[in-house]
């Protein structure tokens, strides 16, 4: 059925967008955290309260595919 194929394609596209966005976020956090450790940024960051940010890590529940019934 064409509707099922369209749904599968849309889910695949959505998962790809989520993966890309997660990778972009983690790359940005890595650059920020590295920058915060270099001189003179470390001094300015300390004065203004900037701090290292954690990487995005999905919970184990998010890795499970939802059950879909038709």
């Amino acid at each position: 059925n064409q509707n099922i194929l369209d749904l599968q394609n849309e889910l695949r596209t959505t998962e790809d967008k989520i993966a890309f966005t997660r990778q972009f976020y983690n790359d940005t956090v890595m650059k920020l955290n590295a920058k915060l450790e270099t001189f003179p940024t470390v001094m300015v960051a300390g004065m203004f309260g900037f701090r290292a940010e954690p990487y995005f890590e999905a919970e184990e529940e998010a890795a499970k595919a939802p059950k879909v019934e038709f």
Side-chain angles (χ1 to χ4, degrees), residues 26-27 30 33 44 46 55:
N26 284 339
D27 288 346
M30 180 182 66
N33 291 345
V44 175
Y55 292 107

Side-chain angles (χ1 to χ4, degrees):
N1 189 338
Q2 186 61 36
N3 290 336
I4 299 297
L5 293 175
D6 290 345
L7 175 62
Q8 288 176 333
N9 187 39
E10 186 65 33
L11 290 173
R12 187 176 313 111
T13 302
T14 301
E15 288 175 356
D16 290 344
K17 288 178 183 178
I18 291 170
F20 174 79
T21 304
R22 180 175 45 243
Q23 184 63 46
F24 177 77
Y25 174 83
N26 284 339
D27 288 346
T28 304
V29 167
M30 180 182 66
K31 290 175 187 175
L32 170 71
N33 291 345
K35 189 75 168 171
L36 290 175
E37 295 176 2
T38 60
F39 183 82
T41 308
V42 68
M43 297 176 67
V44 175
M47 289 189 305
F48 289 102
F50 290 103
R51 57 181 166 62
E53 293 294 328
Y55 292 107
F56 177 82
E57 294 182 20
E59 300 172 1
E60 288 185 33
E61 293 281 327
K64 296 179 185 174
K67 187 166 187 139
V68 179
E69 294 182 27
F70 297 100

